[in-house]
């Protein structure tokens, strides 16, 4: 069941989902403590990529990306891309261990609440979601707030800027290792949000999912795409680059 959800509101938590392994919390538990709110530095970077980076989006086109029906059909204008209702998009090239930089902005005009407000997501290997959400003064379940490893780990703090402002993610990702059907080592995820460490070398419990207990029961290939989520909200991205490790 969903908690605290009058008919016209998005749920801010669940009390009927499986427990997250090794924790006292259910997936998307509405009673899990919220990350402390802090104020990050005011500026966003939009720095030049380092010389060995693969530029995935420089503001001009989506040639490095593919979408549901072939071409990535998100809108590109004014140096950014914006979600349309064309489905998720993902990189044509696949990656394993990497450093990923991107910048995003939730709509300046606030619509919806909880998970229905400025929701998108950055999926490493198409499987591990770092939540993108307008988490500024927006109550929702802790493992679904901005920069959560979705359904697993809330961020260490909530470092959100206001809706409409550009925000940065710097993600350091080590892919999981499988030997046949068996997990040898999990994915490790570090995230810096607006210059603040919010995920510190967290061992992912498996691919992320909605209302699902995570597990590595199904091995996946050693590389996968970077995927950006169409969750129906008009989130923007710019300055996306990656370094393979
Ligand atoms: Mg999302």
């Amino acid at each position: 069941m969903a908690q605290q959800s009058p008919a016209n509101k998005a749920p801010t938590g669940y009390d009927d989902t499986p427990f997250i392994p090794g924790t006292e919390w259910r997936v998307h538990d509405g009673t899990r403590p919220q990350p402390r709110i802090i104020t990050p530095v005011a500026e966003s970077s939009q720095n030049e990529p380092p010389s060995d980076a693969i530029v995935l989006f420089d503001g001009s086109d989506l040639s490095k990306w593919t979408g549901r029906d072939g071409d990535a059909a998100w809108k590109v204008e004014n140096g950014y891309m914006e979600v349309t209702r064309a489905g998720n998009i993902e990189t044509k090239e696949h990656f394993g261990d990497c450093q990923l930089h991107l910048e995003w902005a939730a709509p300046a005009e606030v619509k919806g609440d909880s998970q229905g407000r400025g929701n998108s997501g950055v999926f490493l290997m198409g499987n591990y979601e770092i939540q993108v959400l307008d988490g500024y003064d927006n109550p929702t379940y802790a493992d679904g707030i901005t920069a959560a490893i979705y359904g697993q780990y809330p961020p260490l703090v909530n470092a959100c800027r206001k809706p409409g402002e550009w925000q940065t993610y710097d993600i350091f990702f080590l892919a999981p290792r499988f030997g046949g059907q068996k997990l040898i080592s999990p994915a490790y995820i570090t995230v810096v949000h607006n210059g603040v460490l919010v995920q510190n070398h967290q061992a992912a419990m498996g691919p992320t999912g909605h209302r699902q207990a995570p597990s590595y029961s199904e091995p996946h290939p050693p590389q996968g795409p970077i995927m950006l989520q169409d969750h129906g909200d008009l989130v923007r991205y710019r300055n996306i680059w990656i370094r393979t490790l």
Side-chain angles (χ1 to χ4, degrees), residues 165-181:
E165 295 183 356
W166 285 99
Q167 313 202 35
T168 59
Y169 276 175
D170 289 281
I171 299 170
F172 308 87
F173 181 79
L174 287 176
R177 268 58 172 174
F178 296 94
Q181 293 298 302

Side-chain angles (χ1 to χ4, degrees), residues 119-121 129 131-132 229 231:
N119 194 335
S120 180
E129 183 182 11
Q131 175 69 307
V132 169
Q229 184 183 45
H231 202 282

Side-chain angles (χ1 to χ4, degrees), residues 14 35 106 127 152 181 209 219:
Y14 294 87
N127 271 304
Q152 301 183 23
Q181 293 298 302

Side-chain angles (χ1 to χ4, degrees), residues 177-198:
R177 268 58 172 174
F178 296 94
Q181 293 298 302
K182 199 164 158 284
L183 180 73
I184 295 171
S185 66
Y188 287 101
I189 303 175
T190 297
V191 180
V192 176
H193 179 199
N194 295 332
V196 175
L197 182 68
V198 291

Side-chain angles (χ1 to χ4, degrees), residues 30-114:
T31 66
R32 189 170 183 172
Q34 293 290 320
R36 185 163 49 90
I37 295 169
I38 65 150
T39 305
V41 294
E43 293 293 311
S44 195
S45 75
Q46 227 191 357
N47 289 330
E48 291 280 311
S51 62
D52 65 347
I54 299 165
V55 175
L56 297 174
F57 178 66
D58 67 1
S60 58
D61 65 64
L62 294 175
S63 57
K64 301 281 180 66
W65 299 78
T66 181
R68 188 169 53 197
D69 303 313
D71 286 345
W74 289 12
K75 186 163 75 179
V76 177
E77 60 180 18
N78 304 323
Y80 57 77
M81 65 165 95
E82 184 177 287
V83 174
T84 62
R85 296 316 315 267
N88 302 335
I89 65 170
E90 63 183 47
T91 54
K92 293 173 180 171
E93 189 169 351
H94 287 194
F95 304 96
D97 300 350
C98 66
Q99 172 184 354
L100 175 66
H101 173 88
L102 59 84
E103 303 176 16
W104 60 270
E109 184 189 352
V110 172
K111 284 184 184 165
D113 50 64
S114 186

Side-chain angles (χ1 to χ4, degrees), residues 120-235:
S120 180
V122 180
F123 286 71
L124 283 303
M125 306 186 84
N127 271 304
Y128 302 89
E129 183 182 11
I130 310 304
Q131 175 69 307
V132 169
L133 189 81
D134 178 6
Y136 187 89
D137 193 20
N138 178 23
T140 192
Y141 43 84
D143 70 23
I145 194 73
T146 319
I149 298 171
Y150 187 72
Q152 301 183 23
Y153 297 103
L156 295 169
V157 293
N158 178 338
C160 284
R161 295 193 177 116
K162 292 177 180 167
E165 295 183 356
W166 285 99
Q167 313 202 35
T168 59
Y169 276 175
D170 289 281
I171 299 170
F172 308 87
F173 181 79
L174 287 176
R177 268 58 172 174
F178 296 94
Q181 293 298 302
K182 199 164 158 284
L183 180 73
I184 295 171
S185 66
Y188 287 101
I189 303 175
T190 297
V191 180
V192 176
H193 179 199
N194 295 332
V196 175
L197 182 68
V198 291
Q199 299 286 353
N200 187 6
H201 196 63
Q202 284 287 9
M205 300 175 191
T208 55
H210 184 56
R211 294 176 53 87
Q212 293 168 24
S215 89
Y216 285 103
S217 56
E218 289 182 36
H220 56 72
Q223 296 192 321
I226 304 298
M227 187 173 84
L228 301 178
Q229 184 183 45
D230 168 12
H231 202 282
D233 300 328
L234 305 181
V235 174

